Amino acid sequence: EAAATAEDSAGSDGAARNSFSGTNNQVRGVDEPDTVKTDGARIVSLNEGRLIVTDVTGEEPRVVSRLNLPSVGVQNLFLSGDTVLLFGSAWSGGPVPLSEPREDGFIPYFETPTIQIIEVDISEDAEIVRTMSIDGQYVSARMVEDAVRMVVTSGPVGFEWSYPSGSGLQAERQAIKENQEIIRNSKATNWIPYFLVSDADGEVTTEGTLFSCDRASH
């Protein structure tokens, strides 16, 4: 949990100083994501699909900015200087486009999870700077100084799998053989998560696989 409070206390010289507490972290110096963060002067929080920035330097807290967020299930955030990093998730799906109709009329359906990382500038009015979408699901993240490291999990994508055309062992064995051939002919893009980076207007500026094959191990 994050303690989102700031209080003034008098020092030995009579001058006021600010003290505040942040997220209760497991390791000193390693920040963990939360729904509320503060730098002692501002509190940033998630509330019902909005990012709220509150100024706490005066006698009373004052909301200075509200930003409606995309419907991507944002649940966590980091705060670093004037930058807020939000973590969300979304699902997309639909019928698998088949090269030809199946004899049994079965239409496979797919659901694809994507991670949404949203960068927000709160130097003035809170504004989305860019968004990164990644194939997969969010696991966890940590921030050391200004560097954020995130763990994701993802499955293979882009496969038109073969399904048994009927009941019985023979139909199952035929489907297995066809799927083995599909895997043998697969490409790196079927296994390595893909990403898109979009600017504030939603235009894609960068895209590709998260890493090259020589960075993969098992």
Side-chain angles (χ1 to χ4, degrees):
E1 296 179 355
T5 60
E7 57 184 20
D8 291 329
S9 57
S12 57
D13 57 357
R17 67 175 185 271
N18 242 356
S19 64
F20 66 94
S21 62
T23 301
N24 296 326
N25 298 322
Q26 300 178 68
V27 179
R28 183 181 298 275
V30 180
D31 196 13
E32 300 175 26
D34 210 329
T35 57
V36 181
K37 291 288 183 182
T38 182
D39 59 6
R42 297 166 298 189
I43 295 172
V44 292
S45 59
L46 295 171
N47 187 354
E48 297 181 349
R50 293 183 299 175
L51 179 69
I52 300 175
V53 182
T54 305
D55 186 331
V56 292
T57 58
E59 293 184 359
E60 296 291 335
R62 180 173 60 91
V63 174
V64 294
S65 187
R66 292 184 176 89
L67 176 65
N68 292 325
L69 301 174
S71 301
V72 294
V74 174
Q75 297 179 332
N76 287 294
L77 64 86
F78 279 121
L79 170 64
S80 178
D82 289 329
T83 298
V84 175
L85 207 60
L86 305 171
F87 298 91
S89 60
W91 286 81
S92 61
V96 176
L98 301 177
S99 55
E100 58 184 31
R102 290 172 51 89
E103 294 181 0
D104 58 4
F106 176 74
I107 301 177
Y109 188 89
F110 74 93
E111 284 190 325
T112 301
T114 58
I115 303 160
Q116 306 293 316
I117 307 172
I118 305 171
E119 180 183 337
V120 179
D121 180 7
I122 61 169
S123 57
E124 296 181 6
D125 285 339
E127 294 181 337
I128 294 177
V129 177
R130 55 182 175 171
T131 300
M132 185 176 190
S133 304
I134 305 173
D135 280 331
Q137 293 176 281
Y138 169 85
V139 177
S140 189
R142 296 291 186 270
M143 182 171 71
V144 178
E145 296 180 348
D146 292 328
V148 173
R149 292 171 173 84
M150 183 179 64
V151 178
V152 305
T153 180
S154 65
V157 296
F159 287 113
E160 185 180 315
W161 297 115
S162 177
Y163 295 86
S165 58
S167 60
L169 292 175
Q170 185 176 6
E172 292 182 9
R173 283 177 57 78
Q174 181 61 31
I176 290 174
K177 289 180 180 179
E178 292 173 359
N179 285 327
Q180 290 171 338
E181 185 65 20
I182 289 172
I183 291 173
R184 278 193 290 268
N185 294 327
S186 65
K187 299 178 181 180
T189 51
N190 294 122
W191 304 98
I192 300 175
Y194 204 77
F195 77 90
L196 303 173
V197 176
S198 305
D199 60 20
D201 296 323
E203 295 294 328
V204 176
T205 58
T206 312
E207 63 180 297
T209 50
L210 276 181
F211 52 88
S212 57
C213 287
D214 59 4
R215 296 295 303 275
S217 61
H218 73 282

